[in-house]
Amino acid sequence: MGDSDYMENNIGKFTINDIMQGIPGGFFIYRANGNEELIYVNDAMLHLFRCETKEEFQELTGNSFKGIVHPDDLERVEAYIAHQIEGDPRALDYVEYRIVRKDGEICWVEDFGHLVHDETEGDVFYVFISDITERIKKLDRERIRHQKMIDEASSRERQYMTAITSDAIAMYEVNLSKDLMEGKATRFKGDEEISIAEDMGFSMPSRYSEFMRCLGMRVPGNSRQDYYDHCSPEYLLSCYEKGMLDPYYNFWIQDGSGRWIYAHKIFVISKNEITGDIVAIALIKDYSEIRKGQDQNIKQMEMIQALSVDYAN
């Protein structure tokens, strides 16, 4: 079923087409299974891909979500979407990737997705997408500006410099094979660096699993077990075995000042070639503003679904 057929057979949904066209940024719907066929796109998607007509867009993308994502990013993107949907009771995902426009230009986009069940179509993704190319270029310029400093630093200093220049609010190192903390577990507050344990009010343990337990006490009780499951040594070792060397997890946590932060924790996993141990560096970023954007998109999606039901009835 193509775009036009879907709209004709689901008039309840797409009599609100004017609302969809008025949304800033791209919006599309695609099937969650099979070839991930696109069943709706707004005009902003055509503009984003430099297409004049829907036919041009369908030819360029194969009318599939797989055709939207740059082929070199597709495996990573689909793995991250599946990982986030599995771990989020609201079935939300956030991912960044490249696209190739009709004129051959490559640009970066951010994708806010929501998996919903449609009685007619089954499981589908509602997705808001926007161009973040300038943001990525700015970050690249900052990385280049700091690269000389990073190259001249020692290995451990390089890790800290990477954390600081990537807008991390905290970082720590861990030996996953031996379940041990390594080096410092640091919280960055402006130019100040303090111990995560000191900031959170607990004594620094030597075991990584115990460190996770202490941090978990600052995570809401209804999501604490999920936090443990996705940050445990066992889970991270399994990621390494599967070739997922930079898994990440999003969660709410209360910092030492009592402020709730929506944190994005990414693990960079590698093998110590000298000892053979599997080790990881964890970088934690504040994604509270991104979460606000997700919440706004969810409200829009809920409005769309509510209007769909009203029109259908």
Side-chain angles (χ1 to χ4, degrees), residues 103-119:
D103 58 10
E105 182 184 357
I106 295 175
C107 74
W108 281 88
V109 297
E110 62 180 0
D111 168 319
F112 295 91
H114 181 36
L115 178 65
V116 300
H117 182 76
D118 182 276
E119 292 184 0

Side-chain angles (χ1 to χ4, degrees), residues 186-227:
T186 303
R187 174 80 159 94
F188 303 111
K189 290 187 174 182
D191 295 331
E192 184 183 6
E193 296 181 15
I194 63 174
S195 163
I196 291 177
E198 178 184 344
D199 184 53
M200 295 293 196
F202 60 84
S203 298
M204 185 65 188
S206 60
R207 293 284 179 186
Y208 170 60
S209 53
E210 180 65 15
F211 179 73
M212 280 295 95
R213 189 194 68 79
C214 293
L215 286 183
M217 299 307 294
R218 293 277 187 160
V219 173
N222 60 355
S223 58
R224 190 170 296 153
Q225 188 57 53
D226 190 61
Y227 172 79

Side-chain angles (χ1 to χ4, degrees), residues 142-153 158:
E142 291 176 353
R143 291 190 187 102
I144 292 172
R145 183 161 50 91
H146 290 289
Q147 190 61 51
K148 190 173 293 185
M149 296 170 60
I150 295 173
D151 289 343
E152 293 173 353
R158 186 180 303 119

